[in-house]
Amino acid sequence: MALLLAAVSSPAVAQDAGGYEKQSYNYSEWAKGRFSEVVTVRNPGRLLFLGGIGAEDEAATSGGAIKHVGDFGAQCRYAWDKIKRILEKQGGSLNDVIKVTTFVTDIRTFPEAGKCRSEVFAGSTQPAGTFVAVSQLAWPGMMIEVDVIAATAK
């Protein structure tokens, strides 16, 4: 049994010379490839908290201009593209993401949201995550909003 547990819970590790260490663990077979059940970070140089990233038009001069109204997949991809660009502006990347909370207005979008997220993190270890359905988000027409926590070595 110990051998099986070791195989299921073996961590994905990212390290640098400064003592920064990020490890991801999965104890449930079904969660593998979907999300990490646990992500630990030792000696982070910097924590980044991205709040409420959705399909708001970045070029709009007032709030509430939502791109891709009625198209969940396009809103999801747009939100993740914004997240990627914000992390890069802060000296990070999607590989630094340790926790994601996804809010949607329709629980039936769960499979499409999972596919979108899998595409975003293709080839990378999945961060820990929570998926929540709510009655509405900040702006009419907004179908998805994503909170992200990232940790960087510097």
Side-chain angles (χ1 to χ4, degrees), residues 47-67:
L47 293 175
L48 305 170
F49 299 87
L50 284 64
I53 308 299
E56 305 94 341
D57 186 345
E58 298 161 278
T61 57
S62 62
I66 303 301
K67 295 183 76 104

Side-chain angles (χ1 to χ4, degrees), residues 70-90:
D71 186 341
F72 179 83
Q75 283 196 20
C76 187
R77 288 185 297 278
Y78 185 78
W80 278 105
D81 183 60
K82 280 172 57 176
I83 290 165
K84 179 182 174 202
R85 289 183 280 116
I86 290 168
L87 289 169
E88 288 170 353
K89 288 177 184 177
Q90 291 293 318

Side-chain angles (χ1 to χ4, degrees), residues 1-12 23-40 125-128:
M1 180 67 172
L3 180 61
L4 176 62
L5 180 59
V8 171
S9 65
S10 62
Q23 295 184 335
S24 299
Y25 301 87
N26 273 34
Y27 299 99
S28 300
E29 204 52 47
W30 69 269
K32 288 183 178 180
R34 292 185 171 141
F35 62 93
S36 294
E37 292 178 284
V38 178
V39 177
T40 62
T125 301
Q126 291 273 344

